[in-house]
Amino acid sequence: MNEAKAPETEKAEPFQRLGEIGLSNFAPYLMNRIMGRYNADLRQEMTGLGLTTPKMRALAVLSVIDDLPISDLAVYAVVEQSTLSRALEQLASDGLVRRDPDPNDSRVTRIGITETGRAALDQLWPSMARVYAQMFKGIPAEERQAFVTTLQKMLKNIRKHDF
Amino acid sequence: MNEAKAPETEKAEPFQRLGEIGLSNFAPYLMNRIMGRYNADLRQEMTGLGLTTPKMRALAVLSVIDDLPISDLAVYAVVEQSTLSRALEQLASDGLVRRDPDPNDSRVTRIGITETGRAALDQLWPSMARVYAQMFKGIPAEERQAFVTTLQKMLKNIRKHDF
DNA sequence: GATTTATAATTGCAAATGCATATTATTTTG
DNA sequence: CAAAATAATATGCATTTGCAATTATAAATC
């Protein structure tokens, strides 16, 4: 009577529990495991350069999209606004980023990366590339591409902002 | 999917920078963004249940693999050993987990989940399942499966332990 | 156009985190 | 088998984090 007439892809399962899925089939678990290692591996390198994860993330984002309002940067960099505020304080005093008041909205401070900031990131990049390569070792280009495509869909599904 | 020109899977590129790859094509970036949202979304629910991310992760793992040494649990749950130690202290005093001395090695404490612990996780599970479903919304089963398969390979590539 | 509401960024503060170290138990080695 | 090296867990402590409240500005509403 109360048969589920589910459209296949969406929600057909009554409610599978984690134990039934299994950790190694549960994507969020695997992703947390992988990113935990990725971030831990990089943290070591960062420490040597006087960087922290929030600082590094801010620089990495700014190396691609410059001159961002702090609130946008927080979203891109996946760092809490207040944490980022303090990280930027240090980055600015170390000369790795620049703070420019937004001409149109005086509440906004726009952050740009400096040459020194780029240089710092360049020092870290080999490690990032190495860990990245390690992660995808033995995975063919086509599979990598499909993987990224799925990730892009997932981000669209889950994000709370327009970017 | 356009035919790839390059047969090389390993390392052929001279050294592409992040700016050239672009944030939205850089898998670790996308994964951090997605997991950042996933974890933030759940944190809210957890707070209501008196749980934190480390506590929740420990319970989730234990619901699948019970009776783990603390050191193994730390790996599975992606939580720092010292952080986990303190999280377990609280979980035990709240009666959500049990601590049993290992009969063969008296350095080891094995952690098991209690009925109360399972009940707490059951309360959280609907939210986890909801965010999980949201993440994969519109992504066909086949693509999901391929995605998980790639994740499994990646974990094998990057992990430092045998599990 | 004055008042309410919303947004950007900073900051105070308590709690959480992670590193280094301590403690206890086990394994290895000479 | 004593001494040294290794392993599992706990803990001291300085730092980091995130929430809530604050300040300052802008937008909306009446």
Side-chain angles (χ1 to χ4, degrees), chain A residues 54 80 82-83 86 104-107:
Chain A
E80 253 282 323
S82 61
T83 302
R86 284 181 262 245
N104 301 318
D105 186 336
S106 49
R107 291 171 302 181

Side-chain angles (χ1 to χ4, degrees), chain A:
Chain A
M1 225 71 85
N2 37 351
E3 266 297 308
K5 45 280 192 97
E8 286 236 346
T9 310
E10 304 302 300
K11 35 169 56 187
E13 297 80 50
F15 224 40
Q16 226 181 354
R17 311 242 311 309
L18 182 54
E20 303 168 85
I21 300 173
L23 286 179
S24 56
N25 290 308
F26 190 58
Y29 173 74
L30 293 169
M31 292 170 78
N32 267 327
R33 276 288 299 270
I34 293 165
M35 291 324 287
R37 263 268 60 85
Y38 176 84
N39 291 319
D41 285 352
L42 286 185
R43 198 163 22 233
Q44 291 189 283
E45 313 281 345
M46 292 183 315
T47 306
L49 294 167
L51 293 176
T52 61
T53 299
K55 285 186 189 180
M56 178 272 275
R57 288 188 178 173
L59 288 177
V61 170
L62 291 169
S63 82
V64 179
I65 329 170
D66 212 356
D67 257 323
L68 282 172
I70 294 175
S71 50
D72 287 3
L73 181 55
V75 176
Y76 277 112
V78 199
V79 175
E80 253 282 323
Q81 150 85 196
S82 61
T83 302
L84 181 60
S85 177
R86 284 181 262 245
L88 291 174
E89 210 177 298
Q90 293 189 247
L91 285 175
S93 87
D94 291 351
L96 306 193
V97 302
R98 185 177 1 94
R99 311 169 131 263
D100 301 316
D102 186 296
N104 301 318
D105 186 336
S106 49
R107 291 171 302 181
V108 173
T109 302
R110 286 181 172 271
I111 307 294
I113 191 169
T114 64
E115 275 315 307
T116 317
R118 267 184 210 286
L121 192 61
D122 283 349
Q123 280 210 272
L124 189 60
W125 181 245
S127 303
M128 294 179 66
R130 184 175 40 72
V131 181
Y132 178 55
Q134 174 67 26
M135 241 165 78
F136 280 103
K137 199 166 157 186
I139 297 175
E142 205 183 337
E143 182 175 346
R144 292 181 195 211
Q145 184 50 59
F147 181 76
V148 168
T149 301
T150 305
L151 285 176
Q152 288 167 344
K153 292 184 195 175
M154 290 170 69
L155 178 56
K156 256 194 191 112
N157 277 338
I158 207 176
R159 75 188 175 193
K160 294 259 161 62
H161 299 79
D162 301 326
F163 51 85

Side-chain angles (χ1 to χ4, degrees), chain B residues 133-163:
Chain B
Q134 174 67 27
M135 241 165 78
F136 280 104
K137 199 167 155 183
I139 297 174
E142 204 183 338
E143 183 175 346
R144 293 180 194 210
Q145 184 50 59
F147 181 75
V148 167
T149 301
T150 305
L151 285 176
Q152 288 166 345
K153 292 185 194 173
M154 289 169 70
L155 179 56
K156 255 197 191 107
N157 277 339
I158 208 176
R159 74 188 175 193
K160 294 260 162 64
H161 298 81
D162 300 327
F163 52 83

Side-chain angles (χ1 to χ4, degrees), chain B:
Chain B
M1 309 66 191
N2 47 339
E3 275 302 299
K5 47 6 183 314
E8 21 69 356
T9 306
E10 304 301 302
K11 37 165 55 185
E13 297 79 51
F15 225 36
Q16 224 180 357
R17 308 241 313 310
L18 182 54
E20 302 169 83
I21 299 174
L23 286 179
S24 56
N25 290 309
F26 191 56
Y29 173 73
L30 293 168
M31 292 172 77
N32 266 327
R33 276 288 298 269
I34 293 164
M35 292 323 287
R37 263 268 58 87
Y38 176 84
N39 291 320
D41 285 352
L42 286 185
R43 199 164 19 235
Q44 292 189 282
E45 313 280 344
M46 293 182 314
T47 306
L49 294 167
L51 294 176
T52 61
T53 299
K55 287 186 188 180
M56 180 275 276
R57 288 187 180 176
L59 288 177
V61 170
L62 291 170
S63 81
V64 179
I65 330 169
D66 213 357
D67 257 323
L68 282 172
I70 294 176
S71 51
D72 288 3
L73 182 53
V75 176
Y76 277 113
V78 198
V79 175
E80 251 282 324
Q81 192 266 315
S82 62
T83 303
L84 181 61
S85 176
R86 284 181 261 246
L88 290 174
E89 211 176 298
Q90 293 189 245
L91 285 174
S93 87
D94 291 350
L96 307 193
V97 303
R98 184 179 2 95
R99 313 169 129 264
D100 301 317
D102 186 297
N104 302 320
D105 186 337
S106 50
R107 291 171 302 182
V108 172
T109 302
R110 286 181 174 269
I111 307 294
I113 191 169
T114 63
E115 276 314 309
T116 316
R118 266 183 211 285
L121 192 62
D122 283 349
Q123 280 209 271
L124 190 61
W125 181 245
S127 303
M128 293 179 65
R130 182 175 41 71
V131 181
Y132 178 54
Q134 174 67 27
M135 241 165 78
F136 280 104
K137 199 167 155 183
I139 297 174
E142 204 183 338
E143 183 175 346
R144 293 180 194 210
Q145 184 50 59
F147 181 75
V148 167
T149 301
T150 305
L151 285 176
Q152 288 166 345
K153 292 185 194 173
M154 289 169 70
L155 179 56
K156 255 197 191 107
N157 277 339
I158 208 176
R159 74 188 175 193
K160 294 260 162 64
H161 298 81
D162 300 327
F163 52 83

